[in-house]
Amino acid sequence: DIQMTQSPSSLSASVGDRVTITCRASQSISSYLNWYQQKPGKAPQLLIYAASSLQSGVPSRFSGSGSGTDFTLTISSLQPEDFATYYCQQSYSTPYTFGQGTNLEIK
Amino acid sequence: EVQLVESGGGLVQPGRSLRLSCAASGFTFDDYAMHWVRQAPGKGLEWVSGISWNGGSLGYADSVKGRFTISRDNAKNSLYLQMNSLRTEDMALYYCAKSGGSGTYYNNWFDPWGQGTLVTVSS
């Protein structure tokens, strides 16, 4: 199985900050990498698919990059509604696997 | 609007069975693969199983292989998960999710997700 490792596991930031979350795969997954946001008590929502494609309706302050084994999710200017947990997911091969999550908190 | 509504969760004893359902609406159900993803209380996300548009291809996480069976009824726009020999480690919120843009269950992302149905395994 492909292991996905996110860093950091938790992050404190302020409104307006630029934030970067990293996801590393245990083997090359080309661009088969997706990002989700989950707020407490809610289902995850897709933000980015295929490493860098912004899902329809997602604000443009979210962006994704990377290929191979190393990927990043960047939020250019944090908004109050962005404080949540973020997960990466590889779709290169089954079983699909997720990173352990990054909890983004208000500083 | 795409809607996925899960049902069938509840309290069950270890070793018993449960069948989850997911009712889909707002899209052409038989154009898309579908998946189950679970989340144990306070934990991360775990893909459980996926099935292609016609049921011809399907797959399972190692943790449930041989115990869980995924199926779909395209005439009823419904997805199912038959869970047998349940264990305490199967206790989780089970989400139904539509594949992103594909009828095969390969190379899928998940969008959208239902609100989940809670499975509690306890004696």
Side-chain angles (χ1 to χ4, degrees), chain B residues 4-7 20-24 29 34 36 77-80 96:
Chain B
L4 301 170
V5 179
E6 301 93 337
S7 61
L20 305 184
S21 299
C22 172
F29 184 68
M34 297 292 295
W36 290 99
N77 287 351
S78 293
L79 176 72
Y80 306 101
C96 163

Side-chain angles (χ1 to χ4, degrees), chain A residues 24-105:
Chain A
R24 175 165 288 176
S26 60
Q27 67 180 73
S28 177
I29 58 171
S30 186
S31 295
Y32 291 102
L33 191 283
N34 314 300
W35 291 97
Y36 302 87
Q37 176 193 68
Q38 186 178 34
K39 296 181 179 180
K42 299 293 187 181
Q45 290 193 308
L46 178 69
L47 297 174
I48 302 284
Y49 62 94
S52 60
S53 295
L54 190 67
Q55 172 66 353
S56 175
V58 174
S60 59
R61 62 181 179 273
F62 291 92
S63 64
S65 64
S67 66
T69 60
D70 294 320
F71 302 86
T72 58
L73 172 70
T74 299
I75 310 172
S76 60
S77 177
L78 271 174
Q79 299 302 301
E81 61 268 30
D82 299 337
F83 292 95
T85 301
Y86 293 84
Y87 294 94
C88 61
Q89 174 242 333
Q90 65 82 15
S91 49
Y92 180 79
S93 65
T94 57
Y96 297 125
T97 46
F98 292 85
Q100 80 279 15
T102 295
N103 185 25
L104 178 54
E105 299 175 322

Side-chain angles (χ1 to χ4, degrees), chain B residues 71-120:
Chain B
S71 63
R72 64 190 294 161
D73 185 336
N74 287 345
K76 294 183 178 179
N77 287 351
S78 293
L79 176 72
Y80 306 101
L81 186 68
Q82 177 67 42
M83 304 187 296
N84 298 333
S85 303
L86 281 160
R87 305 168 179 168
T88 54
E89 54 264 37
D90 295 319
M91 186 159 57
L93 186 62
Y94 283 73
Y95 293 105
C96 163
K98 172 182 162 290
S99 73
S102 175
T104 78
Y105 90 109
Y106 302 106
N107 307 130
N108 284 179
W109 56 89
F110 310 123
D111 178 66
W113 303 50
Q115 285 306 300
T117 186
L118 184 63
V119 173
T120 303

Side-chain angles (χ1 to χ4, degrees), chain B residues 5-19:
Chain B
V5 179
E6 301 93 337
S7 61
L11 173 63
V12 62
Q13 293 179 326
R16 303 300 292 265
S17 300
L18 210 56
R19 188 193 196 209

